[in-house]
Amino acid sequence: MRLFLLLFLALSSFSSFARLDTTCHTWPMNMAKIWLQDKKIVNEDELNEDRTQFKLLASETMKNAQYTDVYLFSFFDKTGKEYDVITQNISSDEECSISDVNIYMVSGFKMSY
């Protein structure tokens, strides 16, 4: 019985912090592209959209079925330079754009081969 209870608690705490769904990546990705352009780091039309990569780093369940999502985006321009950006925003199962997107540049201007 103790083993069952311990296993249940471990799995339930894991599931409350893990969300593998990445359907809400477009909202923070688009805001990050606009931010890169507004900061005059790179123009959106210079980006190679096909090479854009993203990864959901963390998703914490909050009250009211909302999540705090943290993504890593790697944008590449047409010359091969890479721009890595971390975003944080609040989403839900019904709405991806509940909050503004906090954007942090973690690296940029490195050549990708």
Side-chain angles (χ1 to χ4, degrees):
M1 183 65 174
R2 285 184 183 172
L3 180 60
F4 174 77
L5 183 59
L6 182 62
L7 184 60
F8 175 76
L9 290 174
L11 290 176
S12 65
S13 65
F14 174 77
S15 66
S16 68
F17 291 103
R19 185 174 80 144
L20 300 177
D21 184 15
T22 58
T23 57
C24 276
H25 74 279
T26 55
W27 166 248
M29 181 176 69
N30 289 334
M31 294 301 99
K33 286 191 290 189
I34 292 168
W35 182 86
L36 287 168
Q37 185 162 317
D38 288 349
K39 297 294 182 186
K40 300 188 182 343
I41 296 169
V42 65
N43 287 326
E44 188 173 347
D45 59 340
E46 296 172 356
L47 293 176
N48 183 346
E49 299 284 336
D50 294 336
R51 290 197 61 202
T52 300
Q53 301 170 3
F54 71 92
K55 182 173 186 165
L56 180 62
L57 298 177
S59 184
E60 182 178 6
T61 304
M62 301 171 19
K63 60 183 177 182
N64 301 329
Q66 294 180 345
Y67 309 93
T68 299
D69 293 335
V70 178
Y71 282 96
L72 170 64
F73 293 99
S74 295
F75 299 102
F76 298 87
D77 69 17
K78 293 176 181 170
T79 66
K81 294 179 184 173
E82 181 177 352
Y83 307 88
D84 294 328
V85 176
I86 290 180
T87 64
Q88 178 270 325
N89 68 293
I90 297 172
S91 67
S92 73
D93 293 332
E94 291 82 30
E95 179 62 45
C96 294
S97 57
I98 291 177
S99 72
D100 289 337
V101 179
N102 296 314
I103 302 166
Y104 308 94
M105 183 96 177
V106 292
S107 70
F109 309 104
K110 65 182 176 183
M111 294 301 291
S112 172
Y113 299 99

